[in-house]
Amino acid sequence: MGTWRRPGAAWLADPWGRAEYRWYDGVSWTEHVAHDGSIGHEHDEAFSLLVGPVARPSAPPAAPPALDAC
């Protein structure tokens, strides 16, 4: 059985569901988000109007979401 490896930097589904995608830098989730083709920072006022109010999660996910095998 293979060893689990952390995914590299990529746009992945936002684990908190506040945007379509969130940038995972290969180590941790960032504030960079994308929704309906727009890219921005989670706390930008213009971007928050697109995705609605942002509430901070009580705790980040324990691990990045599982990637579907291609």
Side-chain angles (χ1 to χ4, degrees):
M1 184 168 223
T3 307
W4 181 84
R5 292 187 321 180
R6 182 183 310 241
W11 286 104
L12 301 173
D14 184 351
W16 295 290
R18 294 193 300 257
E20 284 183 274
Y21 300 100
R22 181 173 295 270
W23 183 252
Y24 182 76
D25 66 9
V27 176
S28 61
W29 296 101
T30 70
E31 73 279 2
H32 305 285
V33 288
H35 189 79
D36 284 339
S38 296
I39 297 173
H41 291 87
E42 180 178 44
H43 302 290
D44 287 348
E45 184 178 339
F47 191 82
S48 65
L49 293 174
L50 260 178
V51 298
V54 174
R56 278 276 177 220
S58 57
L67 299 175
D68 293 332
C70 293

